[in-house]
Amino acid sequence: MILGIGTDLANIDRIAGTLDRFGDRFRNRVFTETEQAKAERRHDTPGTYAKRWAAKEACSKALGTGLRMGIAWKDMSVTNLHTGQPVMQVTGWAKDRLDQMTPPGHRAVIHVTLTDDHPWAQAFVLIEALPVTADPAA
């Protein structure tokens, strides 16, 4: 069952301007160390940050809160599997909210997809509840 969906569109040039203006203050407030390391290794550093910004916005919408009610930017983090597939992790208040949304007997799975076409970066997040089975192979 779908628990929540969210999408966001971010302007890469706007994020680049914010990075130029506020630098580490912005990076450290919004992005985890892992996200920063990934972005700083990329050729399109502002685009990488913009996609992660959009993912955090989309995740907060899928959680049904937006960026309010105690949720922090770093409570949501995008990493990548070895295949390159983006993965969203939540901690802190975002994890508490996810746990509240998840029905008994279910586990939550957060799906995230990212894309960009300069000057735009977009993210889509879907939160799904799957029944917990007694057989882990099922």
Side-chain angles (χ1 to χ4, degrees):
M1 102 185 46
I2 295 174
L3 299 179
I5 59 172
T7 188
D8 193 67
L9 185 67
N11 185 289
I12 295 169
D13 294 333
R14 181 175 150 253
I15 296 297
T18 302
L19 288 164
D20 288 344
R21 184 170 178 198
F22 297 104
D24 285 343
R25 195 168 107 202
F26 172 66
R27 282 183 201 85
N28 294 332
R29 179 174 167 251
V30 176
F31 302 100
T32 65
E33 288 180 16
T34 302
E35 289 173 313
Q36 290 180 47
K38 169 88 174 179
E40 296 301 324
R41 285 192 311 266
R42 301 294 300 262
H43 170 69
D44 181 19
T45 299
T48 302
Y49 279 121
K51 285 186 281 189
R52 278 147 181 76
W53 171 279
K56 292 168 186 270
E57 288 273 8
C59 185
S60 72
K61 293 170 185 175
L63 289 168
T65 64
L67 287 162
R68 57 185 172 93
M69 296 176 52
I71 200 165
W73 287 103
K74 288 184 177 182
D75 285 347
M76 301 165 289
S77 175
V78 178
T79 59
N80 296 84
L81 299 177
H82 71 280
T83 60
Q85 177 184 347
V87 180
M88 176 71 70
Q89 292 91 26
V90 292
T91 58
W93 192 91
K95 174 74 168 109
D96 293 344
R97 173 68 179 147
L98 181 63
D99 291 345
Q100 292 170 1
M101 294 171 58
T102 307
H106 290 75
R107 64 182 177 86
V109 178
I110 302 174
H111 304 276
V112 61
T113 186
L114 308 172
T115 191
D116 65 294
D117 186 7
H118 196 88
W120 301 108
Q122 184 176 31
F124 184 79
V125 171
L126 182 136
I127 302 174
E128 177 183 24
L130 297 175
V132 175
T133 60
D135 179 6

